[in-house]
Amino acid sequence: MFEAATILSLIDEEERELVFPRFDLEDAWILGSALRESARERGLPVVIGISLGEARVFHTALPGSSSDNDEWLERKARVARRYGRSSYGVGMLFRSRDQDFDTHSRLDPSIYAAAGGVFPILIAGVGMVGTVGVSGLPQADDHALVVEHLRAHLASRR
């Protein structure tokens, strides 16, 4: 329980930090392309997806990934959209309360997954407008890859 609370605290900080002044289709392309190039260079077997509202505006799959990764990505994105926070944050919130998401959320685990990898796209003064996610690595690594690139993209926009 302590480890989950510690991780949750770090995720809370990331969610407060990674707020954009704006985010549009051009941002989605730039961010998605940077994520793809980074994953390709590292040889990571992932799928990457970015949505604005209900529209999927960027999607790619790298060698070694599969349709299972697409399904996980969508399940994690549903959690981020429903809770308005990162899928990893939701999972750690339940763990920090010594609860199992699949049981205690009362949501269908074939549709929702509170595993790391999807982060909300947050706009200052607006809130969540979409999601960016990765699937194919261990959940902490999926989450870290997304955060790394959101941080870099935000820094390039300042």
Side-chain angles (χ1 to χ4, degrees), residues 11 71-83 85-95 99-105 107-118 139-140 142-143:
I11 294 168
E71 290 176 23
W72 270 96
L73 182 64
E74 185 52 38
R75 290 170 55 217
K76 294 187 288 186
R78 283 189 191 106
V79 165
R81 287 192 301 268
R82 184 173 186 107
Y83 288 86
R85 67 174 308 171
S86 71
S87 55
Y88 199 34
V90 173
M92 286 300 148
L93 177 63
F94 276 81
R95 286 183 193 92
Q99 295 179 335
D100 175 66
F101 176 83
D102 290 349
T103 302
H104 291 92
S105 71
L107 299 171
D108 184 344
S110 71
I111 298 174
Y112 295 90
V118 176
Q139 68 171 335
D142 278 348
H143 177 84

Side-chain angles (χ1 to χ4, degrees), residues 1-16 85-86 88-89 91-98 140 143:
M1 191 155 82
F2 174 75
E3 181 180 318
T6 302
I7 294 169
L8 180 59
S9 177
L10 296 171
I11 294 168
D12 288 342
E13 289 177 30
E14 293 167 345
E15 291 174 354
R16 283 190 295 274
R85 67 174 308 171
S86 71
Y88 199 34
M92 286 300 148
L93 177 63
F94 276 81
R95 286 183 193 92
S96 73
R97 295 175 177 166
D98 203 25
H143 177 84

